[in-house]
Amino acid sequence: MVRVMLIDDEEAALDLLEILLGQIGNVEIVGRYLNPIQALDDLKKITVDAVFLDIQMPGMKGTQAARHIRSVFPEIPIVFTTAYAEYAVEAFEIESTDYLLKPFTTGRLQSTLARINKHLQEPANRPEPNKGPIPLVQCLGGFQIILPGEPSKEIVWKTKKERELCAFLIHHEGKRVNAPVIIEALWPGYDLVKAKSYLYTCLSYLRKSLVEHGVPIHISKGNQGFTAERNEMLVDVSSFENILNQILSEELLNERDYDQMNQMYTGDYMETCDFGWATARQLEIKSQYVRALRRWHMHYRSQDELSLAADSLQRVLTLVPDSEIDGRALIRVHLELGNRSEAHRVCVQLEQAVRVQMGTELEEETMLLLQQTMERSERSV
């Protein structure tokens, strides 16, 4: 029986976690706390095998509470349960056992309990010479593996192709990729014998780099192909796609998801990497993000929260600057807010994107709206 303590500032979150743990079984809840300070005090008085801990809490953040726990109980498994992916690096620095992004499933929770049980079954004095916090794979805004530490740093790759090979295998999300497919993607048009030599050299470099930096990605070979086994490492794009799917599929929106979605988006998938094989997924993710932003615009419109409606549309135009339908909607929102200067600014940007950059004419409806906006601006001077 695993004795666990639950800490979250939301009663509903505690209820849900207790229900899910109960469904899995072999778990005893020895304490539920809305106040992390009280939990830290009681932790010294009762026997606890693991702590499930939220991050965003008033009074004391979960990461602060975790550092206090580590100072007293350095070996106890700590599992973060949070709706925010941006604290992952800090969580890894604290050497958390797992990092669960809400909403999580029973299956994902079972994997966490398996980790806890494995930890509890190991000898108390087990040596950990090479074990440390888990790095973070970042695919949005570029590609890099961020190594935990203070300050955090990135892997320095031996060659550009070693980095691209790592990105390509992670891009396939644990699926086996045949050697000819890798060669065609990374060395198109190269002599086959030379390309194979380059591939195996890069694989050797990559394996060494991952081991040297303690990155728990295992490159396995079989059936003429290769697989990058991520071992449940956190990959930012996976978390981002999860929240986009949630926003686009659920009937009711969670206000907290809007800020989280925008904080997670640090740029396009594999941006500036010049990886031709990543283009299709890059466009797909960008399209999903735009659709999610448009849904938020409609939501904020219906709630008469025009400033947030304008914010969501401005983000859309940053991604798709020549979208006249979104540009017109943003101009109208600014006019309703009385922001004539902002409406005029959007007019100029839209005209620049369509006429100058795209070399096409504006739609008639856009032209009429621009004319009306210009006239209003002139009358207000």
Side-chain angles (χ1 to χ4, degrees):
M1 185 71 71
V2 181
R3 297 166 57 86
V4 302
M5 174 181 283
L6 313 181
I7 309 172
D8 199 305
D9 64 318
E10 294 180 8
E11 190 80 42
L14 290 173
D15 291 339
L16 178 59
L17 184 53
E18 184 171 357
I19 290 169
L20 292 176
L21 290 170
Q23 291 175 351
I24 295 171
N26 200 37
V27 177
E28 179 184 359
I29 310 300
V30 296
R32 292 170 37 129
Y33 296 87
L34 296 170
N35 186 335
I37 298 174
Q38 180 63 49
L40 291 175
D41 187 53
D42 286 357
L43 190 59
K44 301 172 185 177
K45 305 172 186 176
I46 57 180
T47 302
V48 178
D49 295 322
V51 178
F52 285 73
L53 179 63
D54 189 22
I55 289 183
Q56 283 286 27
M57 296 185 291
M60 178 183 287
K61 283 177 61 177
T63 47
Q64 292 175 289
R67 293 184 189 278
H68 282 292
I69 294 171
R70 276 278 170 265
S71 66
V72 181
F73 304 99
E75 297 294 331
I76 193 169
I78 297 174
V79 178
F80 286 103
T81 58
T82 178
Y84 300 94
E86 60 267 28
Y87 297 103
V89 172
E90 187 176 1
F92 296 146
E93 291 171 354
I94 300 168
E95 297 188 49
S96 62
T97 299
D98 211 342
Y99 192 95
L100 298 177
L101 279 174
K102 299 176 181 177
F104 42 82
T105 63
T106 304
R108 183 66 180 85
L109 202 53
Q110 284 177 322
S111 175
T112 299
L113 284 170
R115 289 188 180 191
I116 293 171
N117 278 311
K118 182 179 179 182
H119 175 93
L120 296 175
Q121 290 166 9
E122 292 174 353
N125 59 348
R126 61 191 179 283
E128 298 185 8
N130 299 318
K131 191 170 182 178
I134 303 173
L136 172 69
V137 179
Q138 187 170 357
C139 298
L140 295 173
F143 174 77
Q144 53 203 352
I145 295 180
I146 301 175
L147 303 172
E150 296 183 3
S152 60
K153 56 183 180 180
E154 303 169 15
I155 283 185
V156 177
W157 307 94
K158 294 180 180 66
T159 68
K160 292 181 179 179
K161 286 298 180 182
E162 176 201 8
R163 171 176 175 256
E164 185 175 0
L165 176 60
C166 185
F168 187 74
L169 292 175
I170 288 174
H171 168 81
H172 283 82
E173 301 179 312
K175 298 174 183 174
R176 190 170 302 282
V177 189
N178 290 336
V181 175
I182 299 174
I183 289 171
E184 181 60 31
L186 272 67
W187 294 278
Y190 276 60
D191 174 79
L192 185 59
V193 175
K194 288 184 179 180
K196 282 186 177 179
S197 175
Y198 295 151
L199 171 59
Y200 285 102
T201 298
C202 283
L203 282 167
S204 176
Y205 285 159
L206 177 56
R207 286 185 172 119
K208 288 179 181 177
S209 293
L210 296 175
V211 171
E212 286 172 5
H213 293 96
V215 178
I217 295 176
H218 177 64
I219 308 298
S220 62
K221 181 180 184 297
N223 297 325
Q224 304 300 314
F226 299 89
T227 305
E229 299 171 5
R230 293 178 352 202
N231 298 312
E232 297 191 6
M233 278 185 63
L234 184 67
V235 181
D236 65 346
V237 70
S238 299
S239 302
F240 185 60
E241 286 181 303
N242 285 339
I243 193 171
L244 290 182
N245 290 332
Q246 183 177 314
I247 290 168
L248 293 171
S249 63
E250 292 188 354
E251 185 175 345
L252 297 177
L253 295 177
N254 185 333
E255 297 286 343
R256 189 167 58 180
D257 288 345
Y258 181 69
D259 289 333
Q260 183 185 354
M261 172 186 72
N262 293 325
Q263 288 170 4
M264 292 174 69
Y265 180 77
T266 54
D268 283 343
Y269 179 69
M270 303 289 183
E271 188 176 33
T272 72
C273 292
D274 195 26
F275 298 158
W277 47 263
T279 302
R281 189 174 179 191
Q282 181 184 94
L283 294 174
E284 180 185 353
I285 293 171
K286 185 175 181 178
S287 175
Q288 277 189 302
Y289 184 35
V290 168
R291 285 169 55 209
L293 286 167
R294 285 171 176 159
R295 184 169 184 208
W296 278 109
H297 161 246
M298 296 303 295
H299 169 77
Y300 287 131
R301 260 295 205 179
S302 68
Q303 300 296 314
D304 203 31
E305 298 184 55
L306 296 184
S307 293
L308 287 169
D311 179 77
S312 58
L313 285 176
Q314 185 58 61
R315 292 177 188 274
V316 171
L317 285 181
T318 300
L319 298 168
V320 195
D322 61 326
S323 176
E324 293 189 50
I325 188 170
D326 295 300
R328 290 194 299 264
L330 181 55
I331 291 168
R332 292 188 180 104
V333 171
H334 281 311
L335 290 175
E336 286 184 52
L337 286 167
N339 297 332
R340 292 189 179 89
S341 60
E342 282 299 302
H344 182 268
R345 178 188 61 78
V346 176
C347 287
V348 172
Q349 288 184 348
L350 189 60
E351 190 170 17
Q352 175 80 11
V354 175
R355 282 183 170 166
V356 179
Q357 296 179 16
M358 300 296 295
T360 60
E361 287 301 315
L362 293 162
E363 296 170 6
E364 184 177 347
E365 185 179 350
T366 306
M367 288 288 294
L368 181 60
L369 181 60
L370 260 60
Q371 183 180 351
Q372 293 172 349
T373 304
M374 298 296 184
E375 290 173 355
R376 289 189 188 186
S377 298
E378 290 172 2
R379 287 200 299 268
S380 64
V381 175

